[in-house]
Each structure stands twice: as C-alpha cells, then as structure tokens.
Amino acid sequence: MNRSQAQRLLPFLRWWPGVDGRTLRADLVAGLTGALVVLPQGVAFATIAGLPPEYGLYSAMVPAVIAALFGSSWHLISGPTTAISIVVFSVVSPLAEPGGPDFIRLALTLTLMVGALQLAMGLLRMGALVNFISHTVVIGFTAGAAILIASSQLKNFFGVEIARGASFHQTIRALVAQAGKIDPYVTSVAMITLLSGMALKRRYPRLPYMIGAMLVGSIAGAVVNHLAGTQVIRTVGALPATLPPLSLPIFSVPLFKELAGSAVAVTMLALTEAVSIARAIAVRSEQRIDGNQEFIGQGLANLLGSFFSSYASSGSFNRSGLNYEAGARTPLAAVSGSFFLAAILLLVAPLAAWLPIAAMAGILMLVARGLIDVKHIKGIVKASRPETGILAATFLATLFLDLEYAIYVGVGLSLALYLNRSSQPAVRVVAPDHRDPRRRFSSEGLAECRQLKIVEVHGPLFFGAIGHVQGRLQQMADQNPQQKHVLIVADGISFADIAGAEMLASEARRRQKEGGGLYLVGVRQRTMEMLSTGGYLAVIGEENVFDTKASALAQIWAKLDKRPCEHCERRIFEECRAS
C-alpha cells in the first residue's frame, strides 16, 4: 500500500506528521474550551431528543473522536445537535415512551441505520447529494425546529401540565387553556435563567454563557425552595458519573423497514449540517474539504457511536466555530475535547442534582432563540420570492407535519425550483456592436441583420429545456420570417443531451428547407462530442460550426441573399461595409 492509498484509508495520516508541541498546546486549549461549552448543550440536546440527559454527553464523546479522525475537516466538531435531536424525538416518540429503555434502544437503532447509510453513501462517492438540500431549506427547517423546541418547553417554563409529545398547535392550545394555572415560582426561575443567559452572552460573548446561566438558575431555584420551605422547584437529578457504557441497537428487519424513511431523512439532514459547516469554516481556514470523506467520517461516527450509547450526531456550527476561534490547529482538538468532557462528567455529574428543570427550560429557550437566523431570513425575503416561498413552506411544514416529511417538502420544492430554472435557459438576441472595436455581441438595442438572427443560449440544453428553447426560436421566426439564418452562440451551453442534440438537428433541417441554415459558434467539447457521435453534426453540417465569431459571420455573410443588402442602410457587418 502506497502513501496515497494509506491516507485515503486513514485520513488522519495527512495531518498527524504536522503535530508538534506548539499545535498540541493550541489543540488542548481549544479542546478544553469546547468541553466546557458542550456540557450544558449536551444535557439540553438530550432533553430535546427525549433521552436521559447523560446521553447528550455520551454523544459528544465517541462520535466526536471518530469523525475527527476519519473526516476531512480539521475543525469540525461532531456531536448532538438541535435539529437532529428534535427529529429523533419526533421519529421515536410514537413508538416508545420517551426516556424509557425501549425509547433509548430505538434511538440507538436509528443511529445505527443513519451511520450505515452515511458510510455507504461516502464509499459510493455520493457526496454531491447534499447539494440538493439548499441553504434556504436548512434555514427554514432550523427556524421551525426552534419554535418546536420552545413550545416543547412551555410546560417546564410555566409549570403547567401539557401532554408529552403534543403537537405544536395542541401545545399552544393547552397553554392558553391553562393560563390561570401558571406557576409563578417555576416561571420566575426559568425567566431568571433565560435573562441571565442573554445578558451574559451579550456582555461576555466569548465565555460559556450557558454554564453561567445554569449556575444562576440553580441558585435561583435553591433560593425559591428555601423561601417556600419545600421543594417547589423540581431538579434534573444527579447524572451517572460513568463513561459511555456499551450498548446494543435492535437488529430487526421489520424495525429497519419501519424506520427506513426516517433514517433517510435524518441521514440527509445530518450530512447537510456536517458538510455545510465544514465548508463554511474551511473558507476561513483555507482548507480543502472532501465531501465524500466527510460522509465516511460521519457514517463511522454514528455507526460506532450507536454501540457506545450515542444517539445520532452531526457537525455543530457553534462548537466548530468556537473550536476554530479558540485556535485549534488539528483534529486533535476534537479528540482532546472528548477526553476533557469525560473527565468533567466524572467530576460534576452529581452536581446536576441541583439543576432545576425550570432552569433547563430557560437554557433551551436560549438555544431556540439562537437558532432563528434573522439576518439570512431577511436576506432571502428581500432577494427572491421563490426562495421565500420555499423558506415559508419548509418552516410551516416543520411546525405542522412530521419532521422527516418537512425535510422532504423543502428538498422537493428546492428541486422543483431548480428544474424550473434549468428548463428555461436564457435565450437572448444579440448583434455586433459597431461601437466596440472588437465588434463584440451585445443586446443593448442594436440593429439586427434582416436575414440573420443571432442568439445566445445560457444553460444546459437537456430534455427539460428544449421546449423552452425551441419555442423561443419559433417565436423569433414568426416575428421575422425573413430571418431564415440563425447563428447560436453556444459557449453558454454547459452540456447537451440526446434530446438537445436532436432539437438542434431538427431546427437545422427546418431552416435548410426554408432556404436558410442553423449555425453554431463556440461549442463546448462535451456538446461537440454529443453532436458528432450521435450523427447530429452531419445534419447541421460541419461547415456550419465555427470556432470564432469573426469566422462565423464571414462565412454566413457569404451565404446571404445580396439583393436585399443593396438597399440596406444598416451595414451590420464589416463585410457589409466593405461591399
């Protein structure tokens, strides 16, 4: 096995030789910082997923190490995320009681399936598939997920009884119906936690504000209990001070079939999160990201993580961005962060007994608030009405449909918009600009030749687009029947399939019957190969395909009927001026 093959199989061999004392110190500092940040986040995300709090911390350990060693990004931190957590709860909660043993095993089984799918897609080099989930869909889904997270915590924030697993509209209706039963003690602790977190984030943005908010909320809860003389504020309870225990997903073909659709949705969402975050940070770090390798890294992380009590994980934008800002130099930062987190868990797990559930509700409200990307939402609304429609549809589908279907709705609408745009390539009429010394083509109201129509086509010439292009050419022919010759500037045609090549040949035959012709200039190699191998070039005529615009105009001018030219004052071409 040569060095290149070894690096493809074990990608950490690429950066390991560059580790030295200086990079190690930077990575250890970044790892410790990340461990402190993920401590409250992991507990919060596990709560969202309907799992015991410690499972959020377990999911930030083993998957983070595997993804760091086998992914391509040097700064991506994997672990539990908000979007994945809420989808896991949505998928598994109808099948088992949240927090129970069956729920945990089903969540681990879903994680196993997600990891297997991700790994298979990476090995099959299907990394480009995540490009079909647009940024707009992710923003809309995340904003909807933020609202769902906030609504799921209303019962803990206000101290009212709302059925677990209630839908968004059912939760709002139940809260309104019980407005008079809101517990002021619970609400005060939750509000103090929320406001303190917001204040700490604004005043000290570089510090782990969630930990500060949890401490403030815990103190507030203890004070309220003391003043009330009884435990009116319930707490999370002590976490088990253990490392991630071994676990066994359920291996059942009927269960795999039942979870298959949901696993695909979680897979695509998780991969989109991970690759998008890795690429965003790579722009700043000037690192090259291999999408297929990220698929493999994420797949191995979830596949192996399911045997170490970890539920579905993906790349975390907050922790990855913090990892880069903290000075991480190599993926050892993610590895060291996992070990630091394990040590911290062993030390502070008993302290969770002092953490009020109301304070956790306040923390989750902070998480939900940070998920709504107001800046990008405003930009989408201003820039594009179709994208705004996709954003709104994904957002509403997230609130009122099963979450996996909400993702499919967003992806489907994005693909429909893409196909609609691709099926209508720009067909623009141009003419030589006499004001330009190089006589370049322009569309700015220049005079056209009465016998020759010159058009530029921008976009792929495939089966879905030929109707639009052919219709535009027919429309031009109906408006100016005397323009029997058509020159297509084809350097903007990215590719042509069989249907596109057949359309060009059909247009050439029609023009030839009318005494004119179809001409092409600037044809790309891929398109030329399709025309040649399919026999379409013989119909169009090899002599009618040109490399330069100057040679095309000279040859076409020689074929024009010179009688109308005698009384023409336009003198469009240089040849006209010389005659």
Side-chain angles (χ1 to χ4, degrees):
M1 181 185 297
N2 58 39
R3 181 179 179 183
S4 177
Q5 291 173 328
Q7 289 179 344
R8 281 199 298 270
L9 184 63
L10 304 172
F12 53 84
L13 295 178
R14 297 180 184 274
W15 51 265
W16 183 258
V19 175
D20 55 26
R22 184 168 53 89
T23 65
L24 183 58
R25 283 192 298 272
D27 289 340
L28 288 176
V29 171
L32 178 58
T33 305
L36 291 173
V37 169
V38 78
L39 184 63
Q41 286 188 345
V43 173
F45 293 155
T47 303
I48 294 171
L51 291 162
E54 61 270 19
Y55 279 82
L57 301 178
Y58 296 158
S59 301
M61 295 181 191
V62 174
V65 174
I66 301 300
L69 294 177
F70 290 92
S72 67
S73 173
W74 290 11
H75 297 99
L76 183 70
I77 303 293
S78 292
T81 68
T82 312
I84 301 299
S85 298
I86 197 168
V87 175
V88 168
F89 178 79
S90 173
V91 169
V92 182
S93 58
L95 305 177
E97 178 66 24
D102 292 339
F103 186 96
I104 294 172
R105 291 197 69 190
L106 286 172
L108 296 177
T109 303
L110 178 66
T111 303
L112 174 75
M113 296 175 66
V114 169
L117 286 171
Q118 291 174 330
L119 180 60
M121 291 171 68
L123 294 175
L124 294 173
R125 308 192 68 78
M126 300 171 67
L129 280 181
V130 297
N131 296 330
F132 289 101
I133 302 183
S134 70
H135 188 53
T136 300
V137 171
V138 174
I139 289 176
F141 176 82
T142 305
I147 302 299
L148 289 180
I149 290 169
S151 68
S152 70
Q153 294 304 308
L154 290 176
K155 62 180 180 180
N156 296 326
F157 198 94
F158 294 106
V160 296
E161 290 295 328
I162 299 177
R164 192 162 191 172
S167 64
F168 172 69
H169 68 277
Q170 290 172 339
T171 300
I172 299 301
R173 188 187 307 162
L175 178 64
V176 172
Q178 300 182 68
K181 298 180 181 179
I182 291 177
D183 189 324
Y185 298 111
V186 172
T187 304
S188 63
V189 172
M191 189 62 71
I192 288 171
T193 307
L194 174 61
L195 295 178
S196 63
M198 293 170 60
L200 288 171
K201 184 178 181 181
R202 178 174 298 180
R203 187 72 177 86
Y204 306 103
R206 290 184 176 275
L207 295 180
Y209 65 94
M210 285 191 181
I211 291 181
M214 290 175 72
L215 290 174
V216 173
S218 298
I219 294 172
V223 170
V224 169
N225 282 336
H226 177 73
L227 294 176
T230 182
Q231 190 173 6
V232 294
I233 304 297
R234 294 183 298 119
T235 62
V236 172
L239 299 178
T242 61
L243 297 177
L246 293 177
S247 56
L248 186 64
I250 302 171
F251 289 86
S252 166
V253 174
L255 180 61
F256 289 162
K257 290 181 179 179
E258 186 174 3
L259 294 177
S262 301
V264 171
V266 176
T267 296
M268 295 306 295
L269 179 61
L271 290 177
T272 301
E273 278 192 315
V275 176
S276 299
I277 293 165
R279 287 175 177 170
I281 296 177
V283 170
R284 301 166 64 186
S285 64
E286 298 182 352
Q287 187 208 343
R288 180 180 171 275
I289 298 299
D290 183 342
N292 294 311
Q293 191 63 51
E294 281 304 322
F295 276 32
I296 292 173
Q298 293 296 315
L300 287 173
N302 281 310
L303 192 63
L304 296 177
S306 67
F307 295 96
F308 289 90
S309 301
S310 303
Y311 74 94
S313 66
S314 182
S316 166
F317 184 80
N318 289 334
R319 298 197 299 279
S320 300
L322 177 65
N323 187 49
Y324 175 75
E325 293 293 341
R329 303 294 297 276
T330 74
L332 277 182
V335 176
S336 65
S338 294
F339 284 101
F340 279 129
L341 178 61
I344 293 172
L345 175 62
L346 295 177
L347 292 173
V348 306
L351 298 181
W354 296 90
L355 177 60
I357 293 176
M360 277 304 304
I363 293 292
L364 291 172
M365 290 293 182
L366 274 176
V367 172
R369 181 176 180 270
L371 286 175
I372 301 177
D373 194 339
V374 177
K375 179 181 177 181
H376 281 97
I377 290 174
K378 288 182 177 178
I380 292 170
V381 172
K382 290 180 180 179
S384 171
R385 293 180 66 181
E387 293 284 350
T388 301
I390 292 175
L391 176 72
T394 307
F395 175 77
L396 294 174
T398 303
L399 291 182
F400 298 106
L401 298 179
D402 291 340
L403 288 181
E404 60 268 33
Y405 295 126
I407 298 171
Y408 294 145
V409 167
V411 173
L413 290 175
S414 293
L415 287 175
L417 178 61
Y418 167 76
L419 291 174
N420 182 60
R421 289 172 175 170
S422 300
S423 66
Q424 299 184 42
V427 181
R428 185 176 63 170
V429 177
V430 295
D433 190 347
H434 65 274
R435 301 165 297 186
D436 188 332
R438 297 178 60 184
R439 305 282 290 172
R440 283 176 290 200
F441 292 164
S442 173
S443 60
E444 298 179 358
L446 301 176
E448 294 183 66
C449 172
R450 289 192 174 93
Q451 298 184 63
L452 173 66
K453 173 72 72 174
I454 306 174
V455 297
E456 290 181 344
V457 179
H458 294 276
L461 201 59
F462 72 112
F463 65 92
I466 59 175
H468 173 74
V469 175
Q470 201 164 28
R472 290 283 289 125
L473 293 176
Q474 184 61 53
Q475 182 182 26
M476 295 173 189
D478 294 340
Q479 292 173 348
N480 297 285
Q482 68 274 25
Q483 290 179 318
K484 299 177 182 179
H485 299 269
V486 174
L487 171 63
I488 296 179
V489 182
D491 54 3
I493 299 177
S494 54
F495 75 92
D497 64 1
I498 293 177
E502 178 61 42
M503 187 276 290
L504 292 175
S506 175
E507 188 68 19
R509 284 192 290 265
R510 187 173 70 83
R511 296 281 176 175
Q512 290 164 5
K513 288 180 181 179
E514 295 175 353
L518 176 74
Y519 313 94
L520 304 173
V521 61
V523 182
R524 295 190 183 187
Q525 183 176 354
R526 288 178 61 191
T527 304
M528 183 62 78
E529 290 175 356
M530 173 60 73
L531 294 175
S532 178
T533 56
Y536 306 106
L537 188 59
V539 178
I540 298 171
E542 292 187 28
E543 70 281 4
N544 293 334
V545 180
F546 307 95
D547 293 327
T548 66
K549 296 172 184 176
S551 62
L553 293 178
Q555 294 294 325
I556 296 171
W557 184 84
K559 298 180 180 182
L560 299 180
D561 186 354
K562 301 304 183 294
R563 288 173 296 179
C565 298
E566 296 176 359
H567 306 288
C568 179
E569 299 178 354
R570 299 182 180 183
R571 305 295 181 184
I572 305 298
F573 309 121
E574 291 291 348
E575 291 77 9
C576 298
R577 296 172 184 270
S579 61

mmCIF file of all heavy atoms in Angstrom, residues 19-34 75 322-334 336-337 340:
data_model
loop_
_atom_site.group_PDB
_atom_site.id
_atom_site.type_symbol
_atom_site.label_atom_id
_atom_site.label_comp_id
_atom_site.label_asym_id
_atom_site.label_seq_id
_atom_site.Cartn_x
_atom_site.Cartn_y
_atom_site.Cartn_z
ATOM 1 N N VAL A 19 1.859 17.493 13.686
ATOM 2 C CA VAL A 19 1.630 17.766 15.105
ATOM 3 C C VAL A 19 2.963 17.981 15.816
ATOM 4 O O VAL A 19 3.901 17.188 15.676
ATOM 5 C CB VAL A 19 0.866 16.597 15.761
ATOM 6 C CG1 VAL A 19 0.730 16.819 17.262
ATOM 7 C CG2 VAL A 19 -0.504 16.426 15.119
ATOM 8 N N ASP A 20 3.062 19.081 16.564
ATOM 9 C CA ASP A 20 4.252 19.340 17.377
ATOM 10 C C ASP A 20 3.804 19.961 18.700
ATOM 11 O O ASP A 20 2.599 20.056 18.992
ATOM 12 C CB ASP A 20 5.248 20.248 16.644
ATOM 13 C CG ASP A 20 4.615 21.553 16.187
ATOM 14 O OD1 ASP A 20 3.630 21.998 16.815
ATOM 15 O OD2 ASP A 20 5.115 22.152 15.204
ATOM 16 N N GLY A 21 4.752 20.380 19.496
ATOM 17 C CA GLY A 21 4.420 20.937 20.799
ATOM 18 C C GLY A 21 3.538 22.163 20.711
ATOM 19 O O GLY A 21 2.615 22.348 21.523
ATOM 20 N N ARG A 22 3.785 23.009 19.713
ATOM 21 C CA ARG A 22 3.009 24.249 19.576
ATOM 22 C C ARG A 22 1.569 23.948 19.184
ATOM 23 O O ARG A 22 0.633 24.498 19.778
ATOM 24 C CB ARG A 22 3.672 25.139 18.521
ATOM 25 C CG ARG A 22 3.026 26.508 18.346
ATOM 26 C CD ARG A 22 3.951 27.385 17.511
ATOM 27 N NE ARG A 22 4.315 26.722 16.269
ATOM 28 C CZ ARG A 22 3.602 26.817 15.130
ATOM 29 N NH1 ARG A 22 2.485 27.527 15.127
ATOM 30 N NH2 ARG A 22 3.979 26.195 14.050
ATOM 31 N N THR A 23 1.368 23.083 18.203
ATOM 32 C CA THR A 23 -0.002 22.757 17.786
ATOM 33 C C THR A 23 -0.729 21.980 18.872
ATOM 34 O O THR A 23 -1.928 22.137 19.058
ATOM 35 C CB THR A 23 0.003 21.934 16.485
ATOM 36 O OG1 THR A 23 0.633 20.665 16.719
ATOM 37 C CG2 THR A 23 0.750 22.662 15.374
ATOM 38 N N LEU A 24 0.004 21.132 19.610
ATOM 39 C CA LEU A 24 -0.628 20.346 20.664
ATOM 40 C C LEU A 24 -1.163 21.246 21.770
ATOM 41 O O LEU A 24 -2.278 21.040 22.270
ATOM 42 C CB LEU A 24 0.365 19.339 21.235
ATOM 43 C CG LEU A 24 -0.181 18.388 22.311
ATOM 44 C CD1 LEU A 24 -1.352 17.581 21.777
ATOM 45 C CD2 LEU A 24 0.920 17.467 22.820
ATOM 46 N N ARG A 25 -0.387 22.258 22.157
ATOM 47 C CA ARG A 25 -0.857 23.184 23.190
ATOM 48 C C ARG A 25 -2.107 23.921 22.736
ATOM 49 O O ARG A 25 -3.079 24.072 23.494
ATOM 50 C CB ARG A 25 0.253 24.189 23.536
ATOM 51 C CG ARG A 25 1.348 23.624 24.418
ATOM 52 C CD ARG A 25 2.247 24.738 24.944
ATOM 53 N NE ARG A 25 2.930 25.431 23.862
ATOM 54 C CZ ARG A 25 4.101 25.053 23.348
ATOM 55 N NH1 ARG A 25 4.717 23.971 23.817
ATOM 56 N NH2 ARG A 25 4.663 25.745 22.379
ATOM 57 N N ALA A 26 -2.110 24.382 21.472
ATOM 58 C CA ALA A 26 -3.278 25.090 20.934
ATOM 59 C C ALA A 26 -4.496 24.181 20.894
ATOM 60 O O ALA A 26 -5.616 24.593 21.228
ATOM 61 C CB ALA A 26 -2.964 25.628 19.536
ATOM 62 N N ASP A 27 -4.287 22.923 20.509
ATOM 63 C CA ASP A 27 -5.408 21.985 20.430
ATOM 64 C C ASP A 27 -5.959 21.648 21.812
ATOM 65 O O ASP A 27 -7.177 21.486 21.981
ATOM 66 C CB ASP A 27 -4.959 20.700 19.719
ATOM 67 C CG ASP A 27 -4.733 20.896 18.233
ATOM 68 O OD1 ASP A 27 -5.273 21.883 17.687
ATOM 69 O OD2 ASP A 27 -4.005 20.089 17.626
ATOM 70 N N LEU A 28 -5.106 21.544 22.800
ATOM 71 C CA LEU A 28 -5.570 21.228 24.156
ATOM 72 C C LEU A 28 -6.409 22.371 24.719
ATOM 73 O O LEU A 28 -7.442 22.136 25.357
ATOM 74 C CB LEU A 28 -4.374 20.948 25.066
ATOM 75 C CG LEU A 28 -3.633 19.625 24.820
ATOM 76 C CD1 LEU A 28 -2.415 19.521 25.726
ATOM 77 C CD2 LEU A 28 -4.552 18.428 25.011
ATOM 78 N N VAL A 29 -5.977 23.615 24.473
ATOM 79 C CA VAL A 29 -6.751 24.765 24.939
ATOM 80 C C VAL A 29 -8.114 24.796 24.253
ATOM 81 O O VAL A 29 -9.159 24.997 24.891
ATOM 82 C CB VAL A 29 -5.989 26.080 24.677
ATOM 83 C CG1 VAL A 29 -6.880 27.286 24.964
ATOM 84 C CG2 VAL A 29 -4.728 26.142 25.526
ATOM 85 N N ALA A 30 -8.124 24.588 22.932
ATOM 86 C CA ALA A 30 -9.388 24.576 22.194
ATOM 87 C C ALA A 30 -10.276 23.423 22.654
ATOM 88 O O ALA A 30 -11.498 23.572 22.775
ATOM 89 C CB ALA A 30 -9.121 24.469 20.694
ATOM 90 N N GLY A 31 -9.685 22.260 22.930
ATOM 91 C CA GLY A 31 -10.462 21.116 23.382
ATOM 92 C C GLY A 31 -11.115 21.351 24.727
ATOM 93 O O GLY A 31 -12.285 20.993 24.929
ATOM 94 N N LEU A 32 -10.381 21.961 25.665
ATOM 95 C CA LEU A 32 -10.949 22.254 26.982
ATOM 96 C C LEU A 32 -12.089 23.258 26.864
ATOM 97 O O LEU A 32 -13.138 23.101 27.510
ATOM 98 C CB LEU A 32 -9.859 22.806 27.903
ATOM 99 C CG LEU A 32 -10.306 23.204 29.318
ATOM 100 C CD1 LEU A 32 -10.936 22.015 30.044
ATOM 101 C CD2 LEU A 32 -9.149 23.775 30.105
ATOM 102 N N THR A 33 -11.899 24.272 26.030
ATOM 103 C CA THR A 33 -12.953 25.265 25.812
ATOM 104 C C THR A 33 -14.218 24.609 25.265
ATOM 105 O O THR A 33 -15.335 24.872 25.728
ATOM 106 C CB THR A 33 -12.469 26.359 24.848
ATOM 107 O OG1 THR A 33 -11.262 26.937 25.347
ATOM 108 C CG2 THR A 33 -13.517 27.444 24.678
ATOM 109 N N GLY A 34 -14.030 23.736 24.276
ATOM 110 C CA GLY A 34 -15.179 23.050 23.697
ATOM 111 C C GLY A 34 -15.886 22.139 24.672
ATOM 112 O O GLY A 34 -17.112 22.021 24.663
ATOM 113 N N HIS A 75 -11.386 21.145 11.664
ATOM 114 C CA HIS A 75 -12.000 21.956 12.714
ATOM 115 C C HIS A 75 -13.427 21.545 13.054
ATOM 116 O O HIS A 75 -13.987 22.026 14.034
ATOM 117 C CB HIS A 75 -11.992 23.441 12.306
ATOM 118 C CG HIS A 75 -10.622 24.008 12.137
ATOM 119 N ND1 HIS A 75 -10.025 24.152 10.905
ATOM 120 C CD2 HIS A 75 -9.712 24.449 13.042
ATOM 121 C CE1 HIS A 75 -8.815 24.668 11.061
ATOM 122 N NE2 HIS A 75 -8.602 24.847 12.341
ATOM 123 N N LEU A 322 -16.418 27.779 17.449
ATOM 124 C CA LEU A 322 -15.656 28.074 18.663
ATOM 125 C C LEU A 322 -14.308 27.358 18.634
ATOM 126 O O LEU A 322 -13.282 27.915 19.051
ATOM 127 C CB LEU A 322 -16.453 27.635 19.888
ATOM 128 C CG LEU A 322 -15.756 27.804 21.240
ATOM 129 C CD1 LEU A 322 -15.520 29.279 21.534
ATOM 130 C CD2 LEU A 322 -16.577 27.163 22.348
ATOM 131 N N ASN A 323 -14.293 26.140 18.127
ATOM 132 C CA ASN A 323 -13.049 25.375 18.034
ATOM 133 C C ASN A 323 -12.024 26.106 17.174
ATOM 134 O O ASN A 323 -10.844 26.210 17.533
ATOM 135 C CB ASN A 323 -13.361 23.997 17.436
ATOM 136 C CG ASN A 323 -12.160 23.064 17.462
ATOM 137 O OD1 ASN A 323 -11.496 22.915 18.480
ATOM 138 N ND2 ASN A 323 -11.892 22.427 16.333
ATOM 139 N N TYR A 324 -12.486 26.651 16.053
ATOM 140 C CA TYR A 324 -11.585 27.406 15.174
ATOM 141 C C TYR A 324 -11.126 28.703 15.833
ATOM 142 O O TYR A 324 -9.937 29.043 15.812
ATOM 143 C CB TYR A 324 -12.286 27.705 13.846
ATOM 144 C CG TYR A 324 -11.481 28.580 12.918
ATOM 145 C CD1 TYR A 324 -10.396 28.069 12.222
ATOM 146 C CD2 TYR A 324 -11.799 29.926 12.749
ATOM 147 C CE1 TYR A 324 -9.649 28.873 11.375
ATOM 148 C CE2 TYR A 324 -11.064 30.738 11.909
ATOM 149 C CZ TYR A 324 -9.987 30.200 11.220
ATOM 150 O OH TYR A 324 -9.244 31.004 10.388
ATOM 151 N N GLU A 325 -12.074 29.431 16.430
ATOM 152 C CA GLU A 325 -11.739 30.703 17.068
ATOM 153 C C GLU A 325 -10.813 30.500 18.269
ATOM 154 O O GLU A 325 -10.013 31.379 18.607
ATOM 155 C CB GLU A 325 -13.018 31.419 17.524
ATOM 156 C CG GLU A 325 -13.914 31.883 16.386
ATOM 157 C CD GLU A 325 -13.278 32.988 15.558
ATOM 158 O OE1 GLU A 325 -12.332 33.634 16.052
ATOM 159 O OE2 GLU A 325 -13.710 33.191 14.415
ATOM 160 N N ALA A 326 -10.919 29.340 18.938
ATOM 161 C CA ALA A 326 -10.082 29.072 20.105
ATOM 162 C C ALA A 326 -8.657 28.697 19.725
ATOM 163 O O ALA A 326 -7.834 28.463 20.614
ATOM 164 C CB ALA A 326 -10.703 27.966 20.942
ATOM 165 N N GLY A 327 -8.390 28.597 18.426
ATOM 166 C CA GLY A 327 -7.024 28.357 17.977
ATOM 167 C C GLY A 327 -6.685 26.930 17.638
ATOM 168 O O GLY A 327 -5.503 26.577 17.546
ATOM 169 N N ALA A 328 -7.691 26.058 17.448
ATOM 170 C CA ALA A 328 -7.418 24.666 17.106
ATOM 171 C C ALA A 328 -6.598 24.580 15.825
ATOM 172 O O ALA A 328 -6.885 25.276 14.851
ATOM 173 C CB ALA A 328 -8.728 23.900 16.948
ATOM 174 N N ARG A 329 -5.600 23.707 15.833
ATOM 175 C CA ARG A 329 -4.731 23.570 14.663
ATOM 176 C C ARG A 329 -4.952 22.253 13.928
ATOM 177 O O ARG A 329 -4.717 22.181 12.729
ATOM 178 C CB ARG A 329 -3.266 23.665 15.108
ATOM 179 C CG ARG A 329 -2.928 24.949 15.855
ATOM 180 C CD ARG A 329 -3.052 26.164 14.944
ATOM 181 N NE ARG A 329 -2.118 26.097 13.849
ATOM 182 C CZ ARG A 329 -0.840 26.489 13.921
ATOM 183 N NH1 ARG A 329 -0.367 26.986 15.064
ATOM 184 N NH2 ARG A 329 -0.048 26.407 12.874
ATOM 185 N N THR A 330 -5.358 21.219 14.639
ATOM 186 C CA THR A 330 -5.565 19.909 14.032
ATOM 187 C C THR A 330 -6.799 19.262 14.671
ATOM 188 O O THR A 330 -7.318 19.756 15.678
ATOM 189 C CB THR A 330 -4.357 18.972 14.252
ATOM 190 O OG1 THR A 330 -4.352 18.521 15.610
ATOM 191 C CG2 THR A 330 -3.037 19.680 13.953
ATOM 192 N N PRO A 331 -7.261 18.124 14.120
ATOM 193 C CA PRO A 331 -8.394 17.418 14.743
ATOM 194 C C PRO A 331 -8.112 16.885 16.142
ATOM 195 O O PRO A 331 -9.041 16.410 16.814
ATOM 196 C CB PRO A 331 -8.653 16.262 13.762
ATOM 197 C CG PRO A 331 -8.196 16.791 12.448
ATOM 198 C CD PRO A 331 -6.978 17.605 12.772
ATOM 199 N N LEU A 332 -6.887 16.973 16.611
ATOM 200 C CA LEU A 332 -6.622 16.574 17.988
ATOM 201 C C LEU A 332 -7.406 17.425 18.985
ATOM 202 O O LEU A 332 -7.620 17.004 20.119
ATOM 203 C CB LEU A 332 -5.120 16.674 18.293
ATOM 204 C CG LEU A 332 -4.249 15.480 17.871
ATOM 205 C CD1 LEU A 332 -2.813 15.703 18.281
ATOM 206 C CD2 LEU A 332 -4.790 14.183 18.466
ATOM 207 N N ALA A 333 -7.809 18.634 18.571
ATOM 208 C CA ALA A 333 -8.629 19.473 19.448
ATOM 209 C C ALA A 333 -9.948 18.771 19.759
ATOM 210 O O ALA A 333 -10.411 18.771 20.910
ATOM 211 C CB ALA A 333 -8.880 20.829 18.794
ATOM 212 N N ALA A 334 -10.570 18.176 18.745
ATOM 213 C CA ALA A 334 -11.828 17.454 18.962
ATOM 214 C C ALA A 334 -11.599 16.217 19.824
ATOM 215 O O ALA A 334 -12.406 15.892 20.701
ATOM 216 C CB ALA A 334 -12.450 17.064 17.624
ATOM 217 N N SER A 336 -9.111 15.695 22.062
ATOM 218 C CA SER A 336 -8.828 16.100 23.447
ATOM 219 C C SER A 336 -10.084 16.633 24.128
ATOM 220 O O SER A 336 -10.301 16.417 25.324
ATOM 221 C CB SER A 336 -7.724 17.156 23.468
ATOM 222 O OG SER A 336 -8.147 18.353 22.835
ATOM 223 N N GLY A 337 -10.961 17.331 23.360
ATOM 224 C CA GLY A 337 -12.206 17.841 23.930
ATOM 225 C C GLY A 337 -13.077 16.716 24.463
ATOM 226 O O GLY A 337 -13.721 16.855 25.522
ATOM 227 N N PHE A 340 -11.527 15.580 27.750
ATOM 228 C CA PHE A 340 -11.801 16.586 28.783
ATOM 229 C C PHE A 340 -13.251 16.473 29.262
ATOM 230 O O PHE A 340 -13.537 16.577 30.460
ATOM 231 C CB PHE A 340 -11.538 17.993 28.257
ATOM 232 C CG PHE A 340 -10.096 18.391 28.276
ATOM 233 C CD1 PHE A 340 -9.488 18.903 27.135
ATOM 234 C CD2 PHE A 340 -9.335 18.274 29.424
ATOM 235 C CE1 PHE A 340 -8.153 19.275 27.140
ATOM 236 C CE2 PHE A 340 -7.989 18.647 29.445
ATOM 237 C CZ PHE A 340 -7.393 19.146 28.300
#
